[in-house]
Amino acid sequence: GDSVTQMEGPVTLSEEAFLTINCTYTATGYPSLFWYVQYPGEGLQLLLKATKADDKGSNKGFEATYRKETTSFHLEKGSVQVSDSAVYFCALSGPGTDKLIFGTGTRLQVFP
Amino acid sequence: GAGVSQSPSNKVTEKGKDVELRCDPISGHTALYWYRQSLGQGLEFLIYFQGNSAPDKSGLPSDRFSAERTGGSVSTLTIQRTQQEDSAVYLCASTPLIGASQETQYFGPGTRLLVL
C-alpha cells in the first residue's frame, strides 16, 4: 500500500542554519504531497503542498519540490528561526482516495 | 471564520467504559475525516465521511470503534469498552470538496483520550 518515509528526529539546529527534512513516498498513480506542521500546543496545520510532478510548494520560507523520478518531497528552508521549532509531517493523498497517509513526523528544535 | 472544533479537549476514562468524541467541521465542508495520533503508531487514518455516508472505514482498528455523521455536519466517534491501547489524541479534519485528494484538510485541536 501507499506509504511515506521521513527522516528520524529530532533535528537540532542553530538559528539561521539551513534545514533539510527528507521525505520519500511509495504510491500507485500520482498522489498529492503535503507538509503539515504541529507547533507546540497547537493543532496540525498545512505548511505547503504540491499536486503534480515538478511542482514546488512554498510558504513561510519553506520549500519542497515534487520529484517523481526519486519519489521524494524534501522540505528545505534556507535560514531557520527559533519560531520554526515544531513537529513536521510529510503526507500523501492518492488519487481515488482522499485520506492522508502520514510519515512518522520529525521534531525540529532551533536554538538561538 | 470558525475552524474545526472538537470536544471534549481531554477525556480520562476507565478501561471498559464507552466514550463519545465530537467533531464540528467548518461550516459548509462536505468531507470529514477522523485520525488518531499515538506514540506507537504515529498519525493514522480512521474513517472518512462524504456527507453523511462513510465510503472508507478501513482505518477503524476494531469493531469497538464506530462513527456517524448527521445533517452533513457534526460527527461523533464512539469507542466501546475502551482499552488502554485506545489512549491517543483523536483528530478530526474537514475539507470543502468531495473526491479531491489535492485539497487541504483543516484539522481540529484534537481530543486527548487517556484510558486508565
Side-chain angles (χ1 to χ4, degrees), chain B:
Chain B
V4 177
S5 61
Q6 294 185 245
S7 61
S9 53
N10 290 281
K11 177 71 176 179
V12 181
T13 190
E14 294 179 350
K15 178 180 170 181
K17 300 281 190 184
D18 297 353
V19 295
E20 284 191 354
L21 311 180
R22 176 187 169 107
C23 172
D24 283 272
I26 293 172
S27 178
H29 280 198
T30 48
L32 185 149
Y33 309 78
W34 283 97
Y35 296 88
R36 179 169 73 171
Q37 186 174 21
S38 58
L39 279 177
Q41 303 297 323
L43 266 162
E44 306 171 278
F45 166 79
L46 297 178
I47 187 170
Y48 156 54
F49 286 92
Q50 290 182 1
N52 293 335
S53 63
D56 189 348
K57 306 178 184 179
S58 62
L60 294 178
S62 76
D63 59 7
R64 296 187 295 104
F65 287 72
S66 62
E68 65 175 12
R69 190 178 185 195
T70 55
S73 179
V74 172
S75 177
T76 302
L77 177 69
T78 301
I79 309 173
Q80 296 179 309
R81 304 182 303 283
T82 53
Q83 304 294 312
Q84 288 179 332
E85 62 262 29
D86 300 335
S87 297
V89 177
Y90 289 82
L91 296 173
C92 177
S94 68
T95 68
L97 297 176
I98 292 172
S101 61
Q102 67 268 32
E103 285 299 315
T104 300
Q105 294 190 17
Y106 296 87
F107 283 82
T111 292
R112 186 175 299 274
L113 175 65
L114 177 61
V115 182
L116 301 177

Side-chain angles (χ1 to χ4, degrees), chain A residues 66-101:
Chain A
Y66 189 139
R67 301 286 188 199
K68 178 170 169 290
E69 62 277 10
T70 55
T71 62
S72 65
F73 193 54
H74 304 321
L75 183 68
E76 296 183 335
K77 186 174 186 182
S79 176
V80 294
Q81 305 300 311
V82 172
S83 57
D84 294 326
S85 298
V87 181
Y88 293 81
F89 293 91
C90 185
L92 69 81
S93 181
T97 170
D98 299 332
K99 64 187 178 189
L100 286 168
I101 296 171

